[in-house]
Amino acid sequence: MGKFILRLNMNDLSVKKEDVSENYRVLGGRALTSTIISTEVNPTCHPLGPNNKLVFAPGIITGTTAPSSGRLSVGAKSPLTGTIKEANAGGIPGQKMARLGIHAIIVEGQPKEKGKFYILRMTPEVIALEEAGELTGKGMYETNELIWKNYGEGTGIIGIGPAGELLMVNAGISCNDPENGPGRYAGRGGLGAVMGSKGLKAIIIEQKGLGDIAYANPELFKQGQHKLAKGLQEHAVTGQALPTYGTAVLINILNEAGGLPTRNFSSGKFEGASKIGGEVINEWSKTRGGKVGHACHPGCVIKCSNVVNHPDGTFHVSPLEYESAWSLGANCGIDSLDDIAELNRICNDVGLDTIEAGAALGVAMEAGVIPFGDGKKAIELLNEVGKGSPMGRILGNGAAFTGKAFGVVRVPVVKNQAMPAYEPRAVKGIGVTYATSTMGADHTAGYTIATEILSVGGKANPLEAAEKGAMAKGFQTATIFIDATGYCLFIAFAILDLPDAFQGMLDTINGVLGLSYTAEDFNRLGAEWLALERKFNEAAGFTKQDDRLPEFMYYEKLPPHNQVYDVPDEMLDSVHGS
Amino acid sequence: MMTFEGFNLRGMAMGELVLISKWGGIGLITVFLYGKFRDKVPGSAIDRECLLEMSVDDGDTIGLIIEKLDIMQKDVAHIFLNYQYSTVNRKLHPGDRLAIFPIEMSVLYRQYFVKHDD
């Protein structure tokens, strides 16, 4: 079975198969979504208008049996940031898409009938657009339940909740996990609103088994698979910490680093941190049931996901990640993990990115809409989003919009996208990534390095700044490469430390594509793809003046380090300036 | 409650800090323990801060404190001294805040932090 691209034209509700060119054949994930968006989308188009396109692309090795490799990338021009955007998710649909031979799905145009929604159904025999019918307006839990009831258990689902249907720019795109939970989100940048603007409620994929993946060099692939799996199991982070505590282990660690943003980025230390971290989630898995070491897709050996139960042992939410426990917890001054779990469940149901949702709630608390720390009132407020009330629409449009609505100055965003859970005044290197990423404030856009290592405190020597800027850029190019492969970004812990694991990753890619990529290609290709994204943003009107952190961080000292953000503009400019 | 030879300490397990005794040293530091190191304080709760107050002498290092707590250095993933990522070589002073994480909690983007070393 050859690979093909599926073009879905919502103007006339047609579905067309296209051949995959050699240029596109070697691309996957973020490299493919960003290449297609750069080629086919006018950078100045309105993100929710008819000329934007939404692209779904499994990674290069997604669908294979390589470990932790099930990622699906989604790309478009973002209605939140106005930049090019890629967000990726785990869950089961990416693997199933790849195993049906689908290289990418391009969704374009808009249906003539406003407010009408469709589903794209794909099986090995049938690809068809159907009316969404009773699914329209439903939350993601009910949507997934109905789809499994009507189309069979194990069906892969990519969908949007009410926030996406109502075109709120904090709407994410849900992917279901093996138990049909909707919690695996391509969350960031409002891609759910783009999907809503196309009248597409869901993509459902009925596919079983390992499908028909073509390996150019099966032996090399197997060798690589073995090396990488061994590295992931041996490394303390991917083999021990993530499966034991999940990502929320970082709550106590960042708190001790003075870098856990608290009460809308007014402190780097939260007194309730011990109540909301990975240690408590691990303990609850023993006392309440639930699970740690949960895999978000078959074949993941890291298993950082979890299942969190109510006190009575019934299911509450899955997963509860570091970013969500922080944004809906410490950032709102909320120290009840049960309340945080409920806020997370609402996000999963309504279809919201948890980082942006928590940041918007934090800004609303700053404005006095509800008090910091009041979990029950936060739950009431967040429930407004799904109702589409005026308050719900304010929150559902993100932190920057909420800040404008209530006249708040302390709004932690870059290019309108809320910052994740690392305070740049305490962890200054991450501020470089937030400022210069092509995606707005995004912790997954590039591993980063301490500015003390970068030696950029005070006034920068221009030559030195350029050199250090190149280092910072190196982390972004490495990240984009991993995002293109379909591997989970967490493999980086192992491949950065273990040369055999790194080679294993390259071997699997070469084994699939029949190429001979080396570590140099890893950097070269990453740099090319990053330049493509940067070019799109420049054509959309972005300049280096947009590569800055919000002004308050330059004059408000953050306790406990009592530091402002003092990385010079020259350093930020040098990241992409060379 | 617990004692370690040569050290006085007080532990907070259930939200109340209890002074056990005080002898020797030039003053007290506060040690925050995480993960399996919480077991060093009997009755500690997973959802509360688990801390000890320990006396230090002039020139005492983090490594010495770790040794006195009967913790193997290979079992330590991260150390923060006064919110700074630190090596075991740093010297301690009265009033310091020291946090120790076990290897099972080694999720940290190491490149984010400089390891401070006296």
Side-chain angles (χ1 to χ4, degrees):
Chain A
M1 180 174 62
K3 281 190 163 187
F4 59 93
I5 288 174
L6 206 61
R7 192 174 292 271
L8 184 57
N9 187 330
M10 300 305 291
N11 289 329
D12 59 8
L13 304 176
S14 64
V15 186
K16 211 170 55 179
K17 278 186 181 180
E18 294 177 1
D19 293 335
V20 180
S21 68
E22 177 58 20
N23 283 350
Y24 281 6
R25 183 189 77 83
V26 296
L27 301 178
R30 178 173 165 189
L32 186 55
T33 62
S34 287
T35 301
I36 293 172
I37 298 299
S38 293
T39 308
E40 298 194 12
V41 174
N42 181 344
T44 60
C45 76
H46 193 295
L48 300 178
N51 294 320
N52 198 6
K53 298 189 183 189
L54 184 66
V55 182
F56 299 86
I60 293 166
I61 46 80
T62 301
T64 70
T65 51
S68 306
S69 66
R71 306 297 289 188
L72 173 71
S73 286
V74 189
K77 176 173 174 174
S78 163
L80 180 70
T81 63
T83 65
I84 199 165
K85 173 62 65 177
E86 183 265 0
N88 61 68
I92 62 175
Q95 290 178 321
K96 290 179 183 294
M97 263 178 75
R99 289 169 185 172
L100 280 183
I102 296 167
H103 199 52
I105 301 172
I106 303 171
V107 187
E108 55 192 26
Q110 285 178 324
K112 290 187 183 69
E113 202 175 331
K114 217 176 167 189
K116 188 158 187 179
F117 284 87
Y118 298 84
I119 58 173
L120 175 65
R121 182 180 168 220
M122 303 188 294
T123 77
E125 297 81 29
V126 179
I127 295 177
L129 206 55
E130 300 175 358
E131 291 189 8
E134 64 172 348
L135 297 179
T136 306
K138 295 277 194 297
M140 281 314 302
Y141 286 95
E142 197 178 352
T143 295
N144 284 5
E145 198 179 313
L146 286 167
I147 289 173
W148 271 29
K149 189 174 150 204
N150 294 334
Y151 297 94
E153 285 192 8
T155 299
I157 303 168
I158 303 165
I160 56 169
E165 292 184 35
L166 294 168
L167 309 186
M168 298 185 200
V169 303
N170 180 29
I173 294 178
S174 161
C175 294
N176 62 335
D177 66 20
E179 293 80 33
N180 206 23
R184 312 309 314 189
Y185 265 82
R188 307 230 68 193
L191 295 175
V194 180
M195 192 159 162
S197 77
K198 304 294 181 200
L200 193 59
K201 172 70 178 176
I203 297 173
I204 66 173
I205 309 142
E206 300 165 57
Q207 185 276 337
K208 292 189 193 310
L210 292 176
D212 191 13
I213 301 278
Y215 298 90
N217 185 341
E219 202 44 49
L220 184 64
F221 175 83
K222 266 187 207 160
Q223 280 173 28
Q225 181 183 20
H226 177 71
K227 281 183 201 166
L228 180 59
K230 187 163 173 277
L232 292 173
Q233 279 157 358
E234 279 174 5
H235 196 276
V237 172
T238 48
Q240 270 186 295
L242 283 170
T244 307
Y245 293 112
T247 56
V249 68
L250 282 163
I251 290 275
N252 282 328
I253 297 174
L254 263 292
N255 198 47
E256 285 297 346
L260 186 71
T262 299
R263 294 187 182 81
N264 190 35
F265 288 72
S266 61
S267 173
K269 180 163 169 45
F270 181 44
E271 69 284 356
S274 283
K275 297 180 191 302
I276 66 170
E279 290 183 75
V280 179
I281 293 172
N282 179 290
E283 179 73 8
W284 282 9
S285 75
K286 297 169 196 154
T287 58
R288 295 182 175 191
K291 193 172 184 180
V292 291
H294 176 254
C296 82
H297 68 271
C300 181
V301 300
I302 301 174
K303 299 181 184 174
C304 71
S305 179
N306 54 36
V307 177
V308 173
N309 282 357
H310 287 290
D312 65 4
T314 55
F315 173 84
H316 197 171
V317 76
S318 172
L320 184 46
E321 306 274 11
Y322 169 57
E323 296 292 340
S324 309
W326 157 75
S327 67
L328 303 163
N331 188 54
C332 294
I334 295 171
D335 66 4
S336 160
L337 195 58
D338 283 310
D339 287 347
I340 294 166
E342 177 59 13
L343 289 164
N344 196 343
R345 190 201 64 78
I346 294 167
C347 287
N348 288 355
D349 196 36
V350 175
L352 294 172
D353 170 35
T354 54
I355 295 175
E356 193 73 40
L361 281 173
V363 169
M365 287 172 164
E366 175 92 37
V369 176
I370 57 172
F372 278 114
D374 194 330
K376 299 291 181 281
K377 283 198 171 141
I379 289 166
E380 276 177 34
L381 204 58
L382 197 61
N383 269 324
E384 291 300 307
V385 178
K387 297 175 192 166
S389 67
M391 177 59 84
R393 284 178 181 270
I394 288 171
L395 291 168
N397 276 295
F401 193 91
T402 303
K404 279 185 184 162
F406 293 107
V408 175
V409 173
R410 189 190 292 133
V411 179
V413 298
V414 176
K415 300 182 181 74
N416 273 335
Q417 181 166 284
M419 288 182 187
Y422 306 87
E423 232 297 345
R425 285 166 289 184
V427 189
K428 291 187 178 172
I430 195 73
V432 179
T433 304
Y434 290 169
T436 63
S437 143
T438 49
M439 305 279 161
D442 183 347
H443 63 298
T444 68
Y447 286 93
T448 188
I449 26 186
T451 48
E452 292 88 343
I453 296 173
L454 290 170
S455 304
V456 292
K459 190 170 167 52
N461 171 326
L463 288 175
E464 194 177 17
E467 185 189 323
K468 306 302 179 186
M471 279 173 68
K473 185 178 176 181
F475 282 90
Q476 292 188 36
T477 58
T479 302
I480 196 169
F481 191 93
I482 295 174
D483 285 345
T485 64
Y487 278 118
C488 172
L489 190 54
F490 286 159
I491 71 160
F493 290 112
I495 67 171
L496 287 174
D497 284 348
L498 307 170
D500 255 14
F502 183 90
Q503 188 57 47
M505 176 205 63
L506 285 178
D507 288 349
T508 57
I509 294 163
N510 290 330
V512 168
L513 295 179
L515 298 174
S516 314
Y517 283 153
T518 63
E520 282 172 17
D521 295 311
F522 183 88
N523 292 319
R524 178 183 59 81
L525 289 168
E528 278 178 24
W529 299 332
L530 197 61
L532 203 63
E533 293 180 349
R534 186 84 181 163
K535 197 173 160 199
F536 182 96
N537 289 350
E538 283 169 6
F542 287 86
T543 69
K544 64 181 184 182
Q545 310 306 334
D546 297 297
D547 292 345
R548 300 289 182 265
L549 298 190
E551 188 198 9
F552 77 88
M553 290 192 166
Y554 291 88
Y555 62 77
E556 274 188 12
K557 286 185 179 175
L558 181 86
H561 290 286
N562 294 318
Q563 290 270 315
V564 296
Y565 198 70
D566 55 3
V567 172
D569 292 351
E570 294 90 333
M571 164 70 216
L572 300 176
D573 295 341
S574 73
V575 173
H576 296 289
S578 53
Chain B
M1 293 304 167
M2 56 188 296
T3 56
F4 292 99
E5 192 183 348
F7 281 75
N8 56 355
L9 46 87
R10 52 186 182 166
M12 186 184 81
M14 302 302 288
E16 193 175 340
L17 194 66
V18 182
L19 182 65
I20 296 170
S21 62
K22 183 167 168 43
W23 71 92
I26 55 170
L28 295 171
I29 64 163
T30 311
V31 185
F32 290 76
L33 299 170
Y34 292 95
K36 69 181 179 190
F37 297 155
R38 290 174 186 268
D39 296 344
K40 302 280 174 193
V41 181
S44 65
I46 206 85
D47 59 352
R48 301 248 175 97
E49 286 185 328
C50 175
L51 62 88
L52 298 167
E53 289 204 338
M54 298 177 70
S55 66
V56 288
D57 271 319
D58 235 356
D60 283 356
T61 62
I62 295 172
L64 183 66
I65 290 288
I66 287 174
E67 194 183 315
K68 291 293 179 185
L69 284 169
D70 206 17
I71 292 171
M72 305 284 282
Q73 283 195 16
K74 69 175 176 57
D75 287 338
V76 175
H78 309 301
I79 298 163
F80 290 91
L81 177 61
N82 300 324
Y83 307 107
Q84 289 180 331
Y85 197 42
S86 298
T87 69
V88 294
N89 302 324
R90 297 186 79 187
K91 291 191 174 59
L92 294 160
H93 303 93
D96 278 347
R97 176 195 176 96
L98 178 67
I100 309 171
F101 290 90
I103 196 77
E104 293 81 5
M105 298 180 75
S106 59
V107 177
L108 176 73
Y109 300 88
R110 279 177 287 123
Q111 299 90 341
Y112 285 19
F113 301 98
V114 161
K115 219 169 204 181
H116 290 262
D117 190 12
D118 281 346

